[in-house]
Amino acid sequence: MLNLRKNKKYKLRIFLIFLLCVAVLLGITFHKMHPVIMRYAVSAAETIMLNSANEAILKILEENNVSYDDIVRLTTNDEGYVTSLEIDIYEVNRLKSNISNATASIIEEEEFYDLAIPIGTFLGNTYTTGFGPSLKFKMQLTTTAFVDFRHEFKSAGINQVLHIIMVDIDIEGSLIITGYNKGISASTSAIAAQTVIVGKSPDAFTSVIESQTDNTGGLINDYGAIAE
């Protein structure tokens, strides 16, 4: 009877030692896997955020049928030439709020996102990366989107200016996966509206031709208006 008890205690010790070894081995393995998991997770999270932001911009602009005239008011003189432009602050702020809320809603549609990483990738070998069955992980995203509008003016010809209204989105949030929490961010831009503003063509213009050895413009041709 005494030998039986000793035998049970011995087996229990062996079992506990085995569990401890397994736990240590799993801990070391996961510690080595963690950088790969986080690298994949951050890349996937950034892609999700950017796709969600672009989808939100498209959705809001289409739903509201937004055009250039909805955002910008042009003032012209008696001859029909543009003398000034004014931004509709109310409309811009409304669009900013709607796009921000839409971005967050699209991201939050999924409570968890699936992440699959091939086993060969964890080996850190170029020849095994992307091969083998995949290990699947669950990750969560919590984000906040900051939306802003800006202008760009580009030359479109003589006395023609292309006025572009851009939407900028900066997304900040947290990525939660396998017990780790990491701050992440992503940014994207899209064109909300644009138009070509045409002015009056001048009676004369000057063509400046720069030579290869003189950046100040070695040859200047002045095409003056012919006096009547």
Side-chain angles (χ1 to χ4, degrees), residues 9-182:
K9 288 182 179 180
Y10 177 76
K11 289 182 178 179
L12 180 60
R13 289 176 182 175
I14 295 298
F15 180 70
L16 292 177
I17 292 173
F18 172 76
L19 288 181
L20 180 61
C21 291
V22 171
V24 171
L25 181 61
L26 289 176
I28 294 174
T29 302
F30 183 76
H31 179 72
K32 292 183 177 180
M33 293 169 57
H34 176 252
V36 178
I37 296 173
M38 292 306 299
R39 187 165 61 249
Y40 266 71
V42 169
S43 178
E46 290 176 348
T47 299
I48 291 170
M49 291 191 298
L50 293 177
N51 290 340
S52 299
N54 290 327
E55 182 180 343
I57 294 173
L58 182 61
K59 176 183 178 182
I60 297 303
L61 294 182
E62 284 188 347
E63 287 181 353
N64 293 269
N65 195 24
V66 176
S67 66
Y68 180 86
D69 293 335
D70 296 322
I71 302 175
V72 182
R73 296 182 184 138
L74 298 178
T75 302
T76 58
N77 58 17
D78 295 337
E79 297 179 349
Y81 298 117
V82 175
T83 57
S84 66
L85 57 86
E86 179 183 358
I87 303 299
D88 189 330
I89 301 300
Y90 172 80
E91 180 66 12
V92 166
N93 288 334
R94 187 179 71 85
L95 291 174
K96 287 168 60 175
S97 177
N98 290 344
I99 293 173
S100 177
N101 292 335
T103 302
S105 297
I106 292 172
I107 294 176
E108 293 172 0
E109 285 179 357
E110 297 290 339
E111 184 177 359
F112 293 95
Y113 288 91
D114 293 325
L115 182 67
I117 305 176
I119 292 178
T121 303
F122 292 106
L123 300 179
N125 191 309
T126 305
Y127 300 102
T128 61
T129 299
F131 290 95
S134 297
L135 295 180
K136 294 184 178 181
F137 303 89
K138 295 285 187 180
M139 67 179 189
Q140 284 183 294
L141 282 175
T142 58
T143 61
T144 301
F146 302 93
V147 183
D148 200 5
F149 281 71
R150 62 183 170 88
H151 310 267
E152 285 188 8
F153 293 92
K154 295 183 179 180
S155 175
I158 299 176
N159 276 17
Q160 294 183 1
V161 175
L162 178 63
H163 185 203
I164 305 173
I165 308 296
M166 300 291 298
V167 183
D168 294 333
I169 299 185
D170 296 317
I171 309 173
E172 297 181 0
S174 295
L175 166 64
I176 303 172
I177 183 171
T178 59
Y180 288 87
N181 191 325
K182 180 178 178 61

